[in-house]
Amino acid sequence: MRLYLTGYMGTGKSTLGRKIAKRTELPFLDTDKMVEEAEGAEVADIITYAGEEYFRQAERRALEQTAEYESAIISTGGGLPVWGDNQAWIAEHGVSVYLKRTPEQILSRLSPHGRYKRPKLRGLSDEEVLQVMREGIAEREPIYLKADVVIDCDKVNDHEIADKLVEFITENGKRKTEN
């Protein structure tokens, strides 16, 4: 099974993905890291110097590479599902999980480094960051909600989320995901 973790930036896709992969002994893939390795630059720099369209194309190539794994835990970039037909591609190649969080909860989780590495948030006050997040989530959520599984992360902690997803993988993992 390929399990794709989706959601807005800072929802914990990479952190939870690593935990789940470790517990299930499945490979962990992070599409942002895959793009950075392929391009030899950080996501923020790729977007700044090559443009968002170029980044989204590189991100799609990384997404398609995930199909090479029969089973894996995959953390997607926050905008990946909403670009082109990526959400449909994910639905065809695996199981998607939307990690739903409020802007307030995301802000409370962001470290100074986590905030800095996101160009949209640099130099903004907390209230400005919350406004950016509210607008971004409102725009993207109709696509995020197409996920196979939606987890309201405001109602459970990360340990409980990891437990639920490990249980889901254990119960459903025998079913192969076809290309």
Side-chain angles (χ1 to χ4, degrees), residues 12-171:
K13 300 177 299 285
S14 296
T15 302
L16 284 165
R18 280 189 293 275
K19 288 179 184 179
I20 295 162
K22 184 175 182 177
R23 288 178 53 188
T24 59
E25 298 183 352
L26 291 173
F28 172 68
L29 306 170
D30 182 318
T31 59
D32 282 345
K33 297 294 179 211
M34 293 169 73
V35 168
E36 289 176 344
E37 288 174 16
E39 297 297 321
E42 292 185 6
V43 168
D45 291 334
I46 297 167
I47 293 170
T48 299
Y49 298 108
E52 185 171 6
E53 183 71 17
Y54 180 88
F55 168 71
R56 295 297 176 198
Q57 290 170 5
E59 194 175 46
R60 175 56 183 244
R61 289 189 296 276
L63 178 63
E64 290 172 352
Q65 288 174 353
T66 67
E68 296 171 10
Y69 292 79
E70 183 177 318
S71 297
I73 307 301
I74 300 122
S75 169
T76 66
L80 185 145
V82 300
W83 191 76
D85 67 344
N86 285 349
Q87 183 63 34
W89 190 96
I90 290 169
E92 184 179 330
H93 292 85
V95 175
S96 58
V97 176
Y98 169 33
L99 299 176
K100 179 180 172 120
R101 292 193 193 270
T102 64
E104 292 78 11
Q105 189 180 30
I106 296 168
L107 180 62
S108 73
R109 296 170 57 87
L110 284 179
S111 68
H113 174 71
R115 196 164 163 167
Y116 178 78
K117 75 178 187 176
R118 293 168 171 89
K120 287 183 178 182
L121 306 183
R122 287 184 191 158
L124 300 181
S125 70
D126 286 355
E127 193 50 50
E128 291 168 325
V129 168
L130 289 172
Q131 188 59 35
V132 166
M133 288 182 185
R134 286 182 191 111
E135 291 169 5
I137 291 169
E139 179 183 315
R140 294 175 176 183
E141 195 160 55
I143 301 296
Y144 290 155
L145 288 170
K146 292 181 180 183
D148 299 303
V149 177
V150 177
I151 297 178
D152 186 342
C153 300
D154 290 341
K155 299 182 190 295
V156 289
N157 64 40
D158 282 5
H159 183 74
E160 293 168 315
I161 295 167
D163 286 348
K164 284 183 179 191
L165 291 174
V166 167
E167 181 180 331
F168 178 83
I169 292 164
T170 302
E171 290 175 2

